[in-house]
Amino acid sequence: MDLKSQIKPEKLPSHIAIIMDGNGRWAKQHGKPRVFGHRNGVKAVRESTEAAAELGVKYLTLYAFSTENWKRPRLEIDALMKLLVETLSKEVNTLMKNDIKLRAIGDIKKLPPLTHKALLEGIERTKNNKRMTLILALNYSAKWDILQASQKLAQAFKDGLIDAEAFDEKTFSNALSTAGIPDPELLIRTSGEARLSNFLLWQLAYAELYFTPTFWPDFRKEQLYKAILDFQQRERRFGKISEQLVP
Ligand code: FPP
């Protein structure tokens, strides 16, 4: 039986998050500059988005640029930002055709104006799509997110809009950039690295973590199916013991 048909629809994660890693090493393996790896990474973005939507996954979050990535060489940053503009302008039609809504998390106002503009246009054009939401984490880091949520809540508290007793987990979740999006059940990281790199630290509290040695430009539908099948074999206990779980 092929991998796709082994996936149980009733146990499908509704939200998958991916740390796309290994573009640079993939390029090096091919004797090419790092940007070649990013360009080939776009194919993996397209494949995983298509595969997730076909399966019925409701949210797919991709870590495309972290707040720390500004430390990279200027040329690489410029090339990545240009690639984002190109990809967004080209792929919005595909998103429309596939009924996929685009959303972004991160401090996107600080992106170069053309990237920011292309992103806002994509978000606006796809805002009524319903099948799946594709969330791009851009100029994102979990510590930034937790800090901006805390600042927002501190201000609301100061303005008398919230009181201390009513402050709970939901209040905090709703102040994060992921407000309204269920937490990811599955986190995938490619390229053999096993760390979270400041990605969705609050939201991944109970996620299953899946690490694959595949470099991101080589990531295809089959790899996504493998990760989901691995996820479906795990027992998610949320602090309980096996015997307490409803089958
Ligand atoms: C990580 O590999 C990759 C990135 C930081 C950028 C990801 C961007 C894309 C795939 C391009 C387009 C994206 C979208 C959403 C349209 P790395 O450079 O850290 O690789 P290395 O660890 O091998 O150096």
Side-chain angles (χ1 to χ4, degrees):
M1 202 168 28
D2 68 296
L3 289 175
K4 190 180 181 189
S5 48
Q6 289 174 46
I7 295 174
K8 296 182 196 79
E10 70 282 7
K11 280 184 85 178
L12 194 71
S14 68
H15 185 176
I16 299 177
I18 308 184
I19 302 179
M20 311 181 282
D21 198 9
N23 293 353
R25 277 163 286 164
W26 184 91
K28 200 170 175 188
Q29 260 185 2
H30 289 76
K32 303 271 189 194
R34 295 178 55 82
V35 176
F36 183 72
H38 298 316
R39 290 206 158 270
N40 280 276
V42 175
K43 178 134 206 271
V45 169
R46 214 179 290 126
E47 283 246 343
S48 26
T49 305
E50 200 178 291
E54 283 166 0
L55 287 169
V57 170
K58 298 310 286 179
Y59 301 89
L60 176 69
T61 301
L62 303 178
Y63 204 5
F65 195 85
S66 78
T67 52
E68 285 92 14
N69 286 149
W70 296 111
K71 295 178 199 148
R72 293 193 174 200
R74 188 76 241 169
L75 270 177
E76 182 174 345
I77 297 174
D78 291 348
L80 258 174
M81 291 300 151
K82 201 166 150 238
L83 183 60
L84 274 163
V85 176
E86 260 175 53
T87 311
L88 284 165
S89 336
K90 214 160 50 196
E91 300 294 342
V92 170
N93 288 334
T94 323
L95 295 180
M96 289 306 294
K97 213 160 54 203
N98 289 286
D99 198 17
I100 297 170
K101 185 197 289 204
L102 184 67
R103 190 170 156 173
I105 54 170
D107 197 0
I108 61 166
K109 293 183 304 297
K110 297 205 178 110
L111 291 171
L114 283 180
T115 314
H116 188 225
K117 184 168 170 270
L119 191 61
L120 292 186
E121 278 171 9
I123 293 171
E124 177 60 26
R125 263 192 75 195
T126 61
K127 68 178 181 198
N128 295 320
N129 292 349
K130 299 268 181 307
R131 188 173 170 212
M132 187 179 85
T133 304
L134 172 67
I135 303 142
L136 297 184
L138 282 163
N139 197 19
Y140 177 87
S141 80
K143 288 191 177 182
W144 165 83
D145 203 2
I146 291 168
L147 269 176
Q148 70 77 29
S150 309
Q151 284 160 356
K152 211 157 47 185
L153 290 168
Q155 189 60 49
F157 180 72
K158 213 168 118 191
D159 296 344
L161 299 171
I162 48 169
D163 61 58
E165 287 91 81
F167 192 98
D168 58 10
E169 208 176 296
K170 205 160 170 225
T171 320
F172 197 80
S173 289
N174 285 337
L176 289 165
S177 63
T178 45
I181 302 171
D183 288 344
E185 293 106 315
L186 171 62
L187 178 272
I188 301 171
R189 183 172 188 148
T190 58
S191 92
E193 307 290 351
R195 55 177 174 270
L196 293 179
S197 296
N198 214 349
F199 188 44
L200 301 172
L201 296 181
W202 169 280
Q203 298 87 338
L204 292 174
Y206 273 104
E208 297 295 328
L209 310 181
Y210 179 87
F211 301 106
T212 167
T214 305
F215 288 146
W216 179 249
D218 286 332
F219 196 86
R220 291 292 174 272
K221 289 185 179 184
E222 295 298 305
Q223 271 87 12
L224 187 76
Y225 302 153
K226 266 194 207 152
I228 295 173
L229 285 168
D230 186 276
F231 166 85
Q232 294 192 332
Q233 271 156 19
R234 301 195 194 180
E235 186 182 70
R236 306 193 74 215
R237 291 194 295 275
F238 302 100
K240 294 182 184 171
I241 63 166
S242 293
E243 289 71 21
Q244 291 175 299
L245 302 175
V246 189

